[in-house]
Amino acid sequence: MKIAFIGLGNMGGGMAANLARAGHEVSAFDLSEDALARAKEAGCATFTSAREAVKGAEAVVSMLPNGKIVDAVYDSDVIGHAPSSALLIDCSTIDVATARKVMDAAKAAGHDMVDAPVSGGIAAANGGTLTFMVGGSEEAFARAEVVLGPMAKAVIRAGEAGAGQVAKMCNNMLLACHMIGTAEALKLADRNGLDMEKFYEISSKSTGYCWSLNDYTPVAGVGASSPADNGYAGGFATALMLKDLRLAMDAADRSGAKVDLGRKACELYEAADAAGLGGKDFGSIFETL
Ligand code: NAD
């Protein structure tokens, strides 16, 4: 297929490369020259604007920083420039309202469109093992599954337009809560004379088990290997977790959902970010305790 790919950053770079590796003709665009050079090396054709890249595309995939940029790029360079038969797939993590607004505009122009945010970080983007949570009609989902396949471990339809973004923000609010809980439990064990490795051995086989404890233990040298063992380098940045928590809090405010723990998690990640941990893996919340 001829696939246009917009946004070749930490995530999009590897994703576009996997589409090219799968034999698709990938037309890539990013504002960054370096990102374009890497995409070229990975077998993509590169363009000087999104508008040029989407010409004649059968599908357009975007992986951009935020909702404002997604809205602007689709409004100015995608809708009305890609053929109306092109399937549009936005994989960025953005607010539900903007996702639905862009999808409404796409539909009005005759496009099938899905929101398809991902779980899994840069390693999963490079390795083609992302989990996609997809919102859109059944027909659009069926078309999207084919395009997303080479980048995915799983492609799951969450529901109608925007449902992918809802799944993503709920998942990451839960992740933030169990990461903070895990860090606090390990610290409490330590402060009360229980060896943290022993606590890991017990709780990872007890009702305290969760991904943050069992698979991503946020303390160097304790439990499963994680970015903590590497000074919290790489992994999923505190700043990105904070972005996702703010999206969740915004949605909670709009919908009147009671999310006391999520709100506290957002406050704690705001403090971690202000303390200079924004660029470090989100397990570094342990360092603030
Ligand atoms: P990034 O900043 O590395 O990449 C974004 C890219 O978009 C950059 O290369 C930038 O130059 C480009 N860009 C910005 N404005 C543009 C425009 N108008 N036209 C074309 N290109 C433009 O970010 P990332 O880590 O790749 O994240 C992308 C999205 O994926 C975000 O929405 C993020 O929340 C989500 N996400 C990230 C991770 C992660 O671990 N990094 C995990 C899951 C989801």
Side-chain angles (χ1 to χ4, degrees), residues 9-11 29-31 63-65 69 73 93 120-121 240 243:
N10 288 323
M11 297 293 289
F29 173 67
D30 192 291
L31 293 176
M63 193 53 162
L64 293 161
I69 294 175
V73 168
T93 302
L240 284 176
K243 171 194 162 186

Side-chain angles (χ1 to χ4, degrees), residues 69-88:
I69 294 175
V70 169
D71 192 14
V73 168
Y74 276 83
D75 185 48
S76 66
D77 285 350
V78 178
I79 297 170
H81 299 279
S84 61
S85 58
L87 168 70
L88 311 182

Side-chain angles (χ1 to χ4, degrees), residues 67-68 70-72 74-75 79 94-108 113 161-162:
K68 210 170 157 193
V70 169
D71 192 14
Y74 276 83
D75 185 48
I79 297 170
I94 68 171
D95 63 283
V96 179
T98 301
R100 290 186 174 143
K101 175 182 172 234
V102 175
M103 291 170 84
D104 282 348
K107 194 175 173 188
M113 182 166 183

Side-chain angles (χ1 to χ4, degrees), residues 10 24 31 36 57 67 78 106 109 120 136 142 150 155-156 181 198 205 207 222 248 253 259-261 269 273 278 287:
N10 288 323
H24 293 299
L31 293 176
L36 280 174
V78 178
V155 182
I156 302 167
K198 187 53 75 180
K205 293 180 188 66
T207 46
V222 176
D253 290 343
V259 288
D260 294 346
L261 271 183
Y269 272 105
D273 189 51
E287 292 207 323

Side-chain angles (χ1 to χ4, degrees), residues 126-285:
N126 290 333
T129 56
L130 293 165
T131 293
F132 288 86
M133 7 197 143
V134 184
S137 69
E138 282 183 17
E139 296 77 12
F141 174 75
R143 291 180 70 191
E145 243 186 327
V146 179
V147 177
L148 298 175
M151 304 183 279
K153 172 174 75 180
V155 182
I156 302 167
R157 179 165 182 261
E160 296 298 330
Q165 298 296 352
V166 177
K168 170 76 185 176
M169 76 182 173
C170 293
N171 180 75
N172 279 22
M173 186 182 80
L174 175 59
L175 172 61
C177 290
H178 64 64
M179 176 54 83
I180 294 168
T182 295
E184 288 186 353
L186 284 158
K187 183 59 93 177
L188 183 65
D190 184 46
R191 284 286 168 90
N192 285 275
L194 174 60
D195 177 57
M196 286 192 281
E197 183 64 32
K198 187 53 75 180
F199 172 70
Y200 167 82
E201 188 189 335
I202 294 167
S203 196
S204 64
K205 293 180 188 66
S206 303
T207 46
Y209 81 85
C210 61
W211 185 82
S212 294
L213 177 68
N214 288 37
D215 299 328
Y216 208 82
T217 324
V219 184
V222 176
S225 67
S226 78
D229 299 307
N230 194 20
Y232 300 102
F236 181 49
T238 290
L240 284 176
M241 174 53 93
L242 180 55
K243 171 194 162 186
D244 294 355
L245 285 168
R246 285 177 171 153
L247 291 176
M249 291 311 105
D250 180 51
D253 290 343
R254 285 169 190 265
S255 60
K258 186 164 150 62
V259 288
D260 294 346
L261 271 183
R263 205 168 294 283
K264 190 70 197 170
C266 188
E267 275 171 40
L268 293 172
Y269 272 105
E270 258 157 13
D273 189 51
L277 295 172
K280 291 193 176 186
D281 177 69
F282 79 118
S284 64
I285 195 83

